[in-house]
Amino acid sequence: MYINRAIENSILKISKTFPALLVTGPRQVGKTTLLKRLADNSRKYVTLDDPDIRHMARSDPALFMQRFPPPVLIDEIQYAPGILPYVKMSVDTSGKKGDFWLTGSQAFHMMKNVSESLAGRVGIVNLLGLSASEIAGIQSEPFTTSPERLMSRLNTVKKMGINEIYERIFRGAFPALYTEDIPDLDDFYRSYMNTYLQRDIKDLSQVADETAFHNFMIIVAARTAKPIVYEEIAKDAGISPPTAKSWLSILVSSGLVALVRPYHNNVLKRATKMPLMHFLDTGLCAYLLKWGNAEILERGAMSGAFFESWVFSEIYKSYINAGKEPPLYYYRDKEKREIDILIYESGTLYPIEIKKAASPGTESVKNFKALNPVTEPERFGELEQYKIEIGNGTVVCMANDLLPVDRKNWFVPAWMI
């Protein structure tokens, strides 16, 4: 069973714009399945997972290009980056758009090679796990706090209760877990981790010990939805802070983790500058931390953190799937006032609070006032050019319906995002 992906139109548009298309992202998110679905009959398919083909691509890339001329879909390009200069020569000669479709899981290996070899000739798409909209089969669009957009979405989205939401959080977003022949969750994630560690991590010079890296992933998973303090992570993992920073960058490049930049403005001088970290697949995060089932997770000490990371990942994916860079930040200051997500677009900040509660109350938007100084920078000795508007805010929660908090903020049920 194929699940239509929200990013399909973006891929087709990029293929008509650039000679080469690269779809990257974590393992098992459906990159190959998606491109095979979109390809017409004239496009050949070749995977560098095949040892014989990989050997040909590495030892004689010119012969490989003769054997598999465009239009072609080349899977797992990171295993033979030596063919990229030949791809460049081919597209420079032909000038045709969409000649080469490439996929790769190891973005940290690949991006430097691609950017150097195919500069200006390749469009890059990042594919992540399934979004709630894709699973439900409804239209996906970048999340905004616009009351009009929320009202229109209310009529198309199916309601979910807390148990159903936590089943979704516990299961995760890998497409294989939403097929007719659903694998056992433990078996799937165990196999996923083995493949990731043995094939993606093993060859990295900065990772000498797979077991240590696996332990590091567990430590990071336990900190989902928290600010990053490299010294603390390093101490718990038994590694140096620079190693912790390097290894976390691998998880970010792998598409498994997202770092959220703190919002900083000259007027908000007391804002923190530490990034916040979210595991993008809550199912993998739950597996690493050995939560037994969705019910135990919902009742557990990390219930709120998992809910926050799931909401963040859905909002994050809504932008990725539209082919946009997610304009997402968070806010925290020295008075410990926090705002979970800030959307910053066109000179306007849209605050979002995330609460695992059915009736969070008006107190849930009190920290939004911490942003007020940005609307009057002159009062704080700054230039008027630093002025920023504050738009509609939302509290994503377990409410049963879309309801106003006040004239500018809304309670938004989690199943609506």
Side-chain angles (χ1 to χ4, degrees), residues 7 13 262 319 341 349 404:
I7 207 166
K13 182 179 178 181
Y319 283 91
I341 300 175
L349 282 170

Side-chain angles (χ1 to χ4, degrees), residues 291-330:
W291 289 99
N293 57 50
E295 184 179 352
I296 294 172
L297 176 61
E298 189 274 319
R299 297 200 312 260
M302 289 191 69
S303 176
F306 269 85
F307 180 62
E308 188 175 327
S309 285
W310 179 72
V311 170
F312 172 85
S313 71
E314 288 297 322
I315 294 175
Y316 185 86
K317 283 185 282 192
S318 76
Y319 283 91
I320 292 289
N321 288 340
K324 296 183 176 182
E325 184 70 22
L328 306 181
Y329 300 81
Y330 88 104

Side-chain angles (χ1 to χ4, degrees), residues 8 47 71 118 167 175 195 203 275 323 354 414:
E8 289 176 9
T47 176
L118 298 176
E167 283 289 345
T195 304
D203 296 334
I354 304 170

Side-chain angles (χ1 to χ4, degrees), residues 119-334:
R121 301 167 181 85
V122 62
I124 299 173
V125 172
N126 187 22
L127 184 66
L128 297 174
L130 295 171
S131 68
S133 294
E134 290 172 324
I135 293 169
I138 60 177
Q139 182 180 355
S140 176
E141 56 191 2
F143 181 88
T144 71
T145 62
S146 160
E148 293 76 20
R149 188 198 73 87
L150 293 169
M151 289 282 194
S152 65
R153 190 166 174 81
L154 190 61
N155 299 321
T156 62
V157 185
K158 175 180 174 289
K159 288 188 177 183
M160 291 195 294
I162 186 171
N163 294 335
E164 196 172 354
I165 287 173
Y166 270 86
E167 283 289 345
R168 180 72 55 78
I169 291 172
F170 181 74
R171 179 171 295 276
F174 289 102
L177 302 175
Y178 294 87
T179 59
E180 294 171 359
D181 187 20
I182 300 173
D184 177 81
L185 279 182
D186 267 359
D187 290 344
F188 174 83
Y189 281 116
R190 187 182 305 112
S191 172
Y192 185 92
M193 283 302 301
N194 286 339
T195 304
Y196 179 66
L197 292 170
Q198 292 172 13
R199 298 186 64 179
D200 289 355
I201 297 301
K202 187 166 96 172
D203 296 334
L204 292 174
S205 58
Q206 64 265 50
V207 180
D209 187 340
E210 294 169 40
T211 303
F213 192 84
H214 184 265
N215 182 55
F216 171 78
M217 288 184 68
I218 294 171
I219 289 165
V220 170
R223 286 169 167 76
T224 192
K226 292 184 179 179
I228 288 293
V229 181
Y230 291 107
E231 291 76 12
E232 291 180 3
I233 296 174
K235 181 180 178 182
D236 289 350
I239 56 179
S240 69
T243 299
K245 191 170 186 177
S246 172
W247 285 8
L248 189 63
S249 73
I250 292 172
L251 294 181
V252 172
S253 297
S254 301
L256 299 181
V257 159
L259 294 186
V260 191
R261 290 171 291 172
Y263 179 76
H264 181 70
N265 180 291
N266 280 13
V267 182
L268 303 173
K269 293 182 173 65
R270 299 180 66 79
T272 185
K273 296 184 180 179
M274 288 186 298
L276 189 75
M277 188 274 298
H278 286 287
F279 241 80
L280 287 175
D281 193 279
T282 51
L284 178 59
C285 191
Y287 170 78
L288 286 167
L289 297 175
K290 302 304 178 189
W291 289 99
N293 57 50
E295 184 179 352
I296 294 172
L297 176 61
E298 189 274 319
R299 297 200 312 260
M302 289 191 69
S303 176
F306 269 85
F307 180 62
E308 188 175 327
S309 285
W310 179 72
V311 170
F312 172 85
S313 71
E314 288 297 322
I315 294 175
Y316 185 86
K317 283 185 282 192
S318 76
Y319 283 91
I320 292 289
N321 288 340
K324 296 183 176 182
E325 184 70 22
L328 306 181
Y329 300 81
Y330 88 104
Y331 178 81
R332 187 182 189 188
D333 60 27
K334 293 178 181 177

Side-chain angles (χ1 to χ4, degrees), residues 361-365 393-395 403-412:
T362 56
E363 283 287 295
S364 57
V365 300
T394 61
V395 181
L403 297 168
V405 181
D406 51 39
R407 64 181 183 82
K408 204 169 184 179
N409 303 296
W410 290 75
F411 292 126
V412 178

